[in-house]
Amino acid sequence: MQLRPLGRSPLSIAPLAFGGNVFGWSVDEPRAFELLDAFVDAGFNLVDTADVYPAWVPGNRGGESETIIGRWLKASGKRDKVVIATKVAKWAEQPGLSPVNIQQAVEGSLRRLQIDCIDLYQAHEDDASVPLAETLGAFGRLIEQGKVRAIGASNYTADRFAEALRVSAEHGLPRYESLQPEYNLLRRAGYERELEPLVRREQVGVISYYALASGFLSGKYRSEADLAKSSARGGAARRFLNPQGLRVLAALDGVAAAHHATPAQVALAWLIARPGLTAPIASATRVEQLHELLGAVRLSLAPDEIAQLDMASAEA
């Protein structure tokens, strides 16, 4: 597996990450163990989660995903084969990016994950109520304490991310080595117009989420009737059931047929081929589905195929 450096951090990751938001939601613990074993045994290493995952499920409170991953790490003995990424700021029980909350939240994540050090600790969202120097200083202390190896951010605007990098440089603080934005064939403009030039110029790693647009780019949802196929994803996929979405699916079908691949593999391969993008995040609920997604890394798209997908997905 060809690993890619994550920004300027000491971390190197495979070009496809596993999204742990499904653990404790649409994936129970035994299935999660199977998926994680299959993922790591195939040579992949980045597992992404958050303290809040999946608090939205009735009966959950948050932390369930980290807990399942922690139990797998203990049972499997594969800690040295994975890069564990988690996040702080969005959980109602421990919200925001104040130094006090960051210190408390990391202890909870470490306990649930049953590890001594988090490889990548990310600000799940911006917190404008706290000066960036205070937030970055708190992250810096975690690195000094050996509890975190590198830090990243998710859902930041280009202006705020650039300001965070500037504050890090001016105050001698650790910088965000990765950015986690929403980015896929149906959500391009927000990343490409402002964030992409910034992260490429500053050599920041990019781990994009919603890589398959809530499953829509798998081709599973092509009509209103199809939305009922998944109680977890169908509702979220509805917003893409429009002329642009159907146009992108048609382009994916054409490229997939030429490669004897699936639309999901092509959609992920398009992201993996994007200059500056380190790894998209994708989730699976079955081992067979996971192996399909992992096949995207072996798919090499020709320049004209990338251009075809670019054209079909261009926003009006």
Side-chain angles (χ1 to χ4, degrees), residues 6-316:
L6 186 67
R8 299 175 187 165
S9 80
L11 307 175
S12 293
I13 63 175
L16 186 62
F18 193 103
N21 63 319
V22 293
F23 299 152
W25 175 24
S26 52
V27 173
D28 62 15
E29 186 169 308
R31 179 64 59 83
F33 280 31
E34 293 177 7
L35 288 164
L36 288 166
D37 280 331
F39 181 75
V40 174
D41 292 348
F44 295 80
N45 63 347
L46 179 63
V47 178
D48 179 82
T49 186
D51 56 6
V52 71
Y53 294 163
W56 56 86
V57 177
N60 284 1
R61 57 175 293 184
E64 289 81 9
S65 174
E66 289 182 328
T67 297
I68 289 173
I69 293 169
R71 290 172 179 162
W72 171 78
L73 287 170
K74 183 176 182 180
S76 69
K78 295 177 181 177
R79 175 65 183 101
D80 61 341
K81 295 184 177 181
V82 292
V83 173
I84 298 295
T86 192
K87 311 180 196 75
V88 57
K90 291 187 76 170
W91 192 13
E93 293 197 13
Q94 289 186 302
L97 295 173
S98 70
V100 170
N101 187 63
I102 288 172
Q103 187 69 48
Q104 292 176 344
V106 78
E107 297 298 342
S109 288
L110 288 167
R111 183 175 62 255
R112 288 185 292 272
L113 289 165
Q114 300 191 53
I115 57 179
D116 298 321
C117 180
I118 293 165
D119 298 304
L120 179 64
Y121 201 37
Q122 302 159 99
H124 206 161
E125 65 182 1
D126 191 11
D127 183 356
S129 70
V130 181
L132 284 165
E134 292 186 15
T135 292
L136 293 164
F139 282 134
R141 284 187 288 278
L142 296 185
I143 293 174
E144 292 171 359
Q145 294 164 8
K147 295 177 179 180
V148 169
R149 294 180 67 194
I151 58 172
S154 180
N155 300 307
Y156 272 50
T157 64
D159 286 346
R160 283 288 285 178
F161 195 78
E163 185 180 354
L165 294 177
R166 189 164 53 250
V167 168
S168 293
E170 290 176 355
H171 295 267
L173 297 169
R175 71 170 201 156
Y176 289 136
E177 293 294 348
S178 66
L179 175 69
Q180 192 172 130
E182 178 180 4
Y183 185 51
N184 57 59
L185 274 165
L186 290 169
R187 287 288 186 270
R188 294 177 55 189
Y191 171 70
E192 291 180 10
R193 288 176 184 168
E194 297 184 345
L195 289 168
E196 186 176 48
L198 171 63
V199 295
R200 292 192 67 186
R201 183 174 65 248
E202 298 292 338
Q203 296 179 294
V204 171
V206 178
I207 312 166
S208 61
Y209 68 87
Y210 284 170
L212 293 177
S214 300
F216 183 85
L217 295 173
S218 70
K220 182 178 179 180
Y221 309 105
R222 297 172 184 263
S223 68
E224 283 288 335
D226 290 338
L227 299 175
K229 292 178 179 178
S230 171
S231 58
R233 300 284 189 180
R238 174 177 275 108
R239 66 189 185 277
F240 302 116
L241 199 57
N242 53 45
Q244 184 205 19
L246 296 176
R247 188 170 64 246
V248 170
L249 286 184
L252 287 172
D253 288 340
V255 175
H259 288 270
H260 303 289
T262 66
Q265 289 173 330
V266 175
L268 291 172
W270 179 84
L271 285 167
I272 291 168
R274 186 79 185 184
L277 197 145
T278 315
I281 300 170
S283 299
T285 57
R286 295 175 291 106
V287 172
E288 298 80 9
Q289 180 190 28
L290 174 64
H291 283 305
E292 175 202 341
L293 300 181
L294 299 183
V297 303
R298 299 188 297 271
L299 187 58
S300 181
L301 301 180
D304 65 310
E305 292 173 325
I306 292 175
Q308 180 183 343
L309 293 168
D310 286 348
M311 185 176 300
S313 62
E315 299 179 34

